[in-house]
Amino acid sequence: MTETTTSSGGRPNLPMQGVHQPSRDEVLNLPRVHISSHPVMAHKMTALRDKNTQPPEFYRHVKEIGALLAYEATATLALESISIETPLGPMIGEQLAGGIGVTPILRAGLGLAEGFREVIPDAQIWHLGLRRDEQTLEAMEYYNQLPHRVNLQVCYAVDPMLATGGSAIDAINVLKRRAIPRLCYVGIIAAPYGLLKLSQTHPDIDIYIAALDESLNDVGYILPGLGDAGDRQFGTF
Ligand code: PRP
Ligand code: URA
């Protein structure tokens, strides 16, 4: 959790204090934003948010929610025809046209990426490390394992929490330099503030989330949220 600093005048510096935030209703119908309405998702989200859920269970829920989100986010992927033989004869089948990339935003995106791999085992995993500075809430890149040669039809940037939107916006900026035909962002919980920022900055991507929450608190955590998604997955309290 964030510790607050004190400015020279002795007042605490709280990065979101006094910042205007849109309401949930104001961002509910943004174009290209898909909010899951699946009852199984709602059920798993409750277990995930519960403060008594311990890291092993929490990680398992992130993975399972990742698989459900992958299922929803891949519903419009392009297919191509392929000739195969069944044991009884020839037929024309279908396969995904072009590779699928998944970019987990480290570290919290790792569990989500594992969920995607359950659905698409041959997805390429492109790791991108972004750390949010707790005082300024700005994202800083510290690790990048994106390949230079790209042959994907789509890449999904995955990260459980869309708070101010800074990390998601930077991740999409990095992916845009790779000239991938289609980019998507996939998250578990979004705050209206970050969702609006991401949607306005990158109106050409699809955004898939499991839940839209109420707001950010003064230090940039999502309310009601689930706390720190990285710490809760990896037990680093
Ligand atoms: C968290 C979270 C997102 C980011 C969201 O990561 O997983 O990446 O903050 O906040 P934003 O929308 O305001 O940018 P954090 O930087 O804490 O790193 P971690 O995944 O290593 O815990
Ligand atoms: N990162 C988290 O892990 N949780 C939040 O609520 C906001 C950012």
Side-chain angles (χ1 to χ4, degrees):
M1 281 280 180
T2 302
E3 284 173 26
T4 56
T5 56
T6 308
S7 68
S8 50
R11 284 180 49 226
N13 294 321
L14 304 175
M16 287 302 295
Q17 193 171 36
V19 176
H20 172 75
Q21 300 186 39
S23 70
R24 204 175 168 276
D25 283 351
E26 284 172 88
V27 302
L28 256 184
N29 295 309
L30 290 173
R32 304 189 72 161
V33 171
H34 313 264
I35 306 172
S36 179
S37 57
H38 200 295
V40 175
M41 186 76 91
H43 180 83
K44 289 183 189 297
M45 285 297 295
T46 303
L48 188 76
R49 290 176 187 273
D50 190 326
K51 69 176 186 184
N52 295 315
T53 302
Q54 298 303 307
E57 281 291 281
F58 187 91
Y59 184 79
R60 182 173 66 78
H61 288 306
V62 169
K63 238 173 87 172
E64 290 175 4
I65 287 167
L68 291 176
L69 283 167
Y71 198 70
E72 295 191 8
T74 53
T76 58
L77 288 187
L79 292 168
E80 62 191 11
S81 298
I82 175 174
S83 305
I84 59 159
E85 300 257 345
T86 78
L88 298 181
M91 72 163 277
I92 305 296
E94 289 176 318
Q95 64 181 12
L96 291 171
I100 312 294
V102 176
T103 294
I105 302 174
L106 306 180
R107 62 230 121 140
L110 287 169
L112 266 186
E114 279 309 304
F116 265 71
R117 293 185 85 185
E118 302 268 321
V119 178
I120 318 163
D122 53 356
Q124 294 180 27
I125 308 297
W126 295 4
H127 295 94
L128 180 64
L130 297 177
R131 184 182 301 113
R132 187 170 85 146
D133 181 289
E134 295 198 340
Q135 310 303 330
T136 64
L137 300 184
E138 285 184 13
M140 292 170 301
E141 184 177 323
Y142 64 89
Y143 188 77
N144 182 326
Q145 274 296 341
L146 273 54
H148 291 285
R149 291 179 50 188
V150 171
N151 181 20
L152 300 179
Q153 71 156 297
V154 63
C155 189
Y156 298 96
V158 303
D159 186 342
M161 309 305 276
L162 179 58
T164 66
S167 306
I169 289 168
D170 285 3
I172 298 294
N173 283 337
V174 170
L175 290 173
K176 279 191 170 171
R177 290 184 216 124
R178 293 296 192 284
I180 302 155
R182 184 173 166 204
L183 296 175
C184 299
Y185 172 88
V186 179
I188 296 182
I189 300 180
Y193 182 88
L195 184 62
L196 184 60
K197 278 237 151 114
L198 177 60
S199 165
Q200 287 177 336
T201 311
H202 293 299
D204 51 340
I205 69 164
D206 286 296
I207 301 170
Y208 296 87
I209 53 173
L212 176 63
D213 275 12
E214 293 300 328
S215 61
L216 296 173
N217 69 11
D218 286 348
V219 291
Y221 273 76
I222 300 175
L223 297 173
L226 49 71
D228 190 304
D231 288 346
R232 291 196 67 185
Q233 279 179 81
F234 302 111
T236 49
F237 302 108

